[in-house]
Amino acid sequence: MQDILGFDQQYTKEEILQTVLPTVQQLAEAIGQEILQLNNNVPPKAIMLVGGGSLTPELPTLLSEALALPANRIAVRSIDAIPTITREAHIEATPELVTPIGIAIAAKKMPIQYMSLTVNGQIVRLFEVKEMTVGDAM
């Protein structure tokens, strides 16, 4: 890799993992706590990780430890988990594609409506997620 000054630097995978692992541990613990809070302090039977963040090194292992789940009960899923999706052969079925495809599916099912109005000569677009007020435009 090149550093900010343009000098080539080399690090082993192990060196990078050693650096990021404490933060990944904190992330896994925070995710685990949030899951427990949302699930009445009961660990789920299984967890599916999707999106680019699911590729965080050691996240599935550390999350299984945080929730006391067997490692095989936490899976990283790709867009193959969405049965209605077809893709060109050259597009890999990777986990990071799940998020934008999920957003696209949700937008098609329930399009977000917005209104355009002018405030002080400038066009402002407001998403209509509730009854809008003048204060929202400001």
Side-chain angles (χ1 to χ4, degrees), residues 1-51:
M1 64 171 245
Q2 283 188 342
D3 65 18
I4 195 167
L5 299 174
F7 296 110
D8 289 335
Q9 301 289 329
Q10 287 190 341
Y11 298 98
T12 65
K13 179 180 177 181
E14 291 74 26
E15 289 174 309
I16 293 171
L17 282 176
Q18 183 180 6
T19 301
V20 301
L21 213 50
T23 303
V24 178
Q25 177 71 45
Q26 290 175 342
L27 176 64
E29 290 172 6
I31 292 170
Q33 288 302 311
E34 187 69 19
I35 289 170
L36 289 173
Q37 183 180 354
L38 294 171
N39 206 33
N40 294 320
N41 290 318
V42 177
K45 301 287 185 214
I47 296 174
M48 288 196 319
L49 299 173
V50 297

Side-chain angles (χ1 to χ4, degrees), residues 13-123:
K13 179 180 177 181
E14 291 74 26
E15 289 174 309
I16 293 171
L17 282 176
Q18 183 180 6
T19 301
V20 301
L21 213 50
T23 303
V24 178
Q25 177 71 45
Q26 290 175 342
L27 176 64
E29 290 172 6
I31 292 170
Q33 288 302 311
E34 187 69 19
I35 289 170
L36 289 173
Q37 183 180 354
L38 294 171
N39 206 33
N40 294 320
N41 290 318
V42 177
K45 301 287 185 214
I47 296 174
M48 288 196 319
L49 299 173
V50 297
S54 69
L55 299 175
T56 302
E58 301 300 323
L59 181 61
T61 302
L62 295 171
L63 189 54
S64 75
E65 291 171 7
L67 291 169
L69 287 175
N72 66 350
R73 302 302 297 166
I74 299 182
V76 175
R77 298 298 306 261
S78 70
I79 59 170
D80 289 338
I82 307 172
T84 57
I85 296 296
T86 58
R87 60 183 168 77
E88 298 291 324
H90 69 279
I91 298 174
E92 289 186 58
T94 58
E96 62 262 39
L97 292 179
V98 174
T99 302
I101 289 173
I103 292 169
I105 290 170
K108 183 170 170 73
K109 286 183 179 181
M110 290 184 54
I112 296 174
Q113 302 297 319
Y114 67 90
M115 67 174 73
S116 294
L117 50 117
T118 304
V119 177
N120 294 332
Q122 185 176 10
I123 295 176

